[in-house]
Amino acid sequence: MKRVEDYVTSIPDYPEPGIIFRDVTSILQDADGLRLAIDGLQDCLKGLEFDVIAGTESRGFIFGMPIAYNLHKPFVLVRKKGKLPRETVSMSYDLEYGSAEIEMHRDSIKPGQKVVLIDDLIATGGTIEAAAKLVELLGGEVVKMVFLMELAGLKGRERLKKYEVESVICYDGK
């Protein structure tokens, strides 16, 4: 029986020498791989009480939406600045070479709601940390962060130590 990691395509020396790029599109292109990925992420939520699933653009949408549907939970979009049509709250964060900004609709999280954040990858943790701060700004509580893949060598989990973090696949390197 195949595991979800068997569907990940690893591309050496991309985008630069010494890096192994872990491509999730090969998971999406195979119905069995996609099922294993969604089921693996959803299994991380067993026994957890929460109200809302939020996903970061764009792969957090891909993986978070089916789980929200399966568990009959609302889904909240965390998008790049300027992509949401109604009143928003925003948070800036640092990237390796520069900065970025993400937003959520101001009414997307109600005070006291328990929120699960889902994304495809935890690397340095900057994007998901900014998403968590947005949830908290709106009065929500991040009860768990779930990722399909983790690049442990980039130490994102350390940055997120105040949150419960779980990944389906963990790679030791970067």
Side-chain angles (χ1 to χ4, degrees), residues 88-147:
T88 61
V89 292
S90 64
M91 185 68 54
S92 295
Y93 61 100
D94 291 328
L95 299 168
E96 190 174 356
Y97 302 106
S99 63
E101 196 167 351
I102 55 174
E103 297 180 322
M104 294 172 68
H105 280 131
R106 183 170 291 283
D107 63 356
S108 61
I109 302 293
K110 311 289 185 280
Q113 283 188 314
K114 295 180 179 191
V115 180
V116 169
L117 292 170
I118 294 182
D119 205 354
D120 68 322
L121 176 71
I122 175 177
T124 64
T127 304
I128 205 75
E129 180 185 45
K133 288 178 180 178
L134 283 175
V135 168
E136 293 162 352
L137 180 67
L138 294 173
E141 175 190 357
V142 176
V143 293
K144 194 163 191 178
M145 296 174 169
V146 180
F147 304 92

Side-chain angles (χ1 to χ4, degrees), residues 48-121:
L48 183 68
E49 289 188 34
F50 64 97
D51 305 303
V52 177
I53 294 176
T56 53
E57 188 168 353
S58 66
R59 293 183 187 120
F61 301 172
I62 292 169
F63 293 109
M65 276 296 303
I67 297 167
Y69 176 83
N70 289 343
L71 300 179
H72 196 70
K73 300 286 184 181
F75 185 80
V76 170
L77 304 173
V78 181
R79 298 217 55 195
K80 295 173 186 166
K81 184 167 180 60
K83 301 290 185 180
L84 293 171
R86 299 191 320 267
E87 186 179 356
T88 61
V89 292
S90 64
M91 185 68 54
S92 295
Y93 61 100
D94 291 328
L95 299 168
E96 190 174 356
Y97 302 106
S99 63
E101 196 167 351
I102 55 174
E103 297 180 322
M104 294 172 68
H105 280 131
R106 183 170 291 283
D107 63 356
S108 61
I109 302 293
K110 311 289 185 280
Q113 283 188 314
K114 295 180 179 191
V115 180
V116 169
L117 292 170
I118 294 182
D119 205 354
D120 68 322
L121 176 71

Side-chain angles (χ1 to χ4, degrees), residues 12-26:
D13 299 319
Y14 182 84
E16 58 186 56
I19 301 293
I20 300 174
F21 186 84
R22 309 295 182 174
D23 186 11
V24 299
T25 60
S26 51

Side-chain angles (χ1 to χ4, degrees), residues 5 8 10 18-20 22 121-124 148-158 167-174:
E5 16 318 30
V8 176
S10 296
I19 301 293
I20 300 174
R22 309 295 182 174
L121 176 71
I122 175 177
T124 64
L148 182 61
M149 296 187 295
E150 177 175 355
L151 303 179
L154 294 175
K155 304 186 185 311
R157 189 179 285 262
E158 289 176 21
S167 57
V168 176
I169 305 168
C170 185
Y171 294 104
D172 291 332
K174 298 179 179 179

